[in-house]
Amino acid sequence: MLRQDIGAVMSLSSKEEIIVVDKRSLWSPMNAIEAVRAHLREVLTENLSPDCAAFLSGLLLGFSEPLSAPLSNDLRKTGTAHFLAISGFHLVLVGAGLWIFLVIAGVRGRKQPLWLLCFLGFYTLLTGLPVSVVRSFIMAAVYLLGDFLWRKKDGPNTLAFSALIILLVDPGQLFSAGFQLTYLAVLGIIFITPVIYGFFGVERAEGRGIAASVVFRILKYLAFSLSVSFAAWLATAPIVASQFHLVTPVILIANLFIAPFMLMAILVGFLLLILGSISGTLAAPVAFIIDPLFHLLRVVADF
């Protein structure tokens, strides 16, 4: 029960003792955010199959909804179930998309970091404030404010500062598996990835000519992807083994195949949310793409 975050059980002798209070009838900023989240969830429900809508609602909006047992088991056994937990990966993609939009709109210079910070803050609220996203937002805020104030950036310092803020607000997070996995994974990526990537020696394989350049870029992508996966897996393996009784070295290969599908699902899913909020007609072509993509993801995960 503790592993499910259940700390106590309460029982009542009759239903009459329960009074239901509808908090949504009282306006507050968080209730307004929840209303927006609910609306976006409806956009997914109206345009996609139930399984696909549940999948994307967790991937994009942080809702915790059960997936079909085969897909859930496949992702768990391949060690790629972390993709379903909304995280800094999603925030990076949103930030990149917003940056492109701001550049096209002509917003540059010192105003750009502040606009990015506002948009990312709103998206962080939309996700329901999971620790991984809050951590990523604080890190992004420090980086963006550093740009605004012309300060030098430092990854470990920024990570430590985000942990300090989260633990000041909720010290109990220190003992949460999610908190531990989030920070161990990032620490592994920061400190272990360069060591593993250097071991591959890809930089020494760079050649001249178009063909050699293409091969070099492919090798570089594969080496870097494997290095990141191995570093994150190595850093988090003790916690995963002790808390969830899983050891999943196959993640090193599975990530190479599943990550691109997750990336496409996130990008196309955001496009669906934007267009679906405007018109169902605009959302239809995008939904037509997402369902086959989701089916293909299931096939790859099963394989």
Side-chain angles (χ1 to χ4, degrees), residues 187-210:
L187 286 170
I189 291 170
I190 291 174
F191 292 108
I192 304 176
T193 297
V195 177
I196 301 172
Y197 184 73
F199 174 79
F200 283 112
V202 177
E203 299 298 335
R204 296 191 295 271
E206 187 173 6
R208 295 180 179 180
I210 297 175

Side-chain angles (χ1 to χ4, degrees), residues 43-44 48 56 60 263-275 286 290 293:
V43 169
L44 296 176
L48 301 171
L56 280 180
L60 303 177
L263 178 60
M264 287 187 284
I266 289 171
L267 295 175
V268 181
F270 276 124
L271 184 60
L272 176 64
L273 290 177
I274 294 168
L275 296 179
V286 183
I290 291 181
L293 185 64

Side-chain angles (χ1 to χ4, degrees), residues 3-253:
R3 283 181 181 164
Q4 299 174 54
D5 293 327
I6 299 173
V9 176
M10 179 179 71
S11 60
L12 295 175
S13 57
S14 68
K15 295 179 181 179
E16 285 71 27
E17 296 180 34
I18 301 174
I19 300 173
V20 178
V21 179
D22 186 3
K23 293 190 295 182
R24 291 172 297 179
S25 61
L26 304 174
W27 190 92
S28 72
M30 287 311 297
N31 281 349
I33 293 292
E34 284 300 320
V36 174
R37 289 185 80 207
H39 168 71
L40 295 176
R41 178 66 181 88
E42 286 177 14
V43 169
L44 296 176
T45 305
E46 291 169 359
N47 291 282
L48 301 171
S49 62
D51 270 356
C52 188
F55 168 73
L56 280 180
S57 68
L59 197 63
L60 303 177
L61 301 171
F63 283 100
S64 181
E65 298 184 20
L67 293 176
S68 61
L71 177 60
S72 181
N73 287 332
D74 288 339
L75 293 175
R76 182 174 58 83
K77 290 177 181 178
T78 55
T80 53
H82 63 276
F83 282 121
L84 298 178
I86 196 164
S87 64
F89 177 67
H90 306 73
L91 205 70
V92 168
L93 288 177
V94 174
L98 288 171
W99 178 80
I100 293 171
F101 174 77
L102 290 173
V103 169
I104 293 172
V107 179
R108 301 169 186 268
R110 300 189 74 195
K111 290 182 180 179
Q112 192 184 75
L114 296 180
W115 278 105
L116 277 172
L117 193 59
C118 292
F119 282 126
L120 289 177
F122 179 70
Y123 177 68
T124 301
L125 292 173
L126 276 183
T127 63
L129 300 177
V131 173
S132 56
V133 179
V134 172
R135 182 262 307 162
S136 299
F137 173 70
I138 294 173
M139 290 185 69
V142 173
Y143 267 74
L144 292 171
L145 288 173
D147 268 345
F148 183 73
L149 299 172
W150 302 98
R151 299 299 301 235
K152 182 181 177 182
K153 304 180 187 70
D154 183 270
N157 255 2
T158 307
L159 186 68
F161 181 74
S162 68
L164 178 64
I165 296 299
I166 290 172
L167 293 176
L168 281 173
V169 175
D170 182 6
Q173 285 290 342
L174 184 62
F175 307 100
S176 160
F179 179 91
Q180 294 168 6
L181 289 171
T182 292
Y183 281 91
L184 284 173
V186 178
L187 286 170
I189 291 170
I190 291 174
F191 292 108
I192 304 176
T193 297
V195 177
I196 301 172
Y197 184 73
F199 174 79
F200 283 112
V202 177
E203 299 298 335
R204 296 191 295 271
E206 187 173 6
R208 295 180 179 180
I210 297 175
S213 177
V214 171
V215 171
F216 171 71
R217 288 178 184 276
I218 293 173
L219 289 175
K220 189 174 181 179
Y221 164 75
L222 291 174
F224 183 73
S225 298
L226 281 171
S227 301
V228 171
S229 294
F230 192 22
W233 176 74
L234 201 62
T236 58
I239 302 295
V240 174
S242 63
Q243 294 289 325
F244 306 106
H245 313 294
L246 285 171
V247 179
T248 55
V250 74
I251 188 177
L252 304 179
I253 301 171

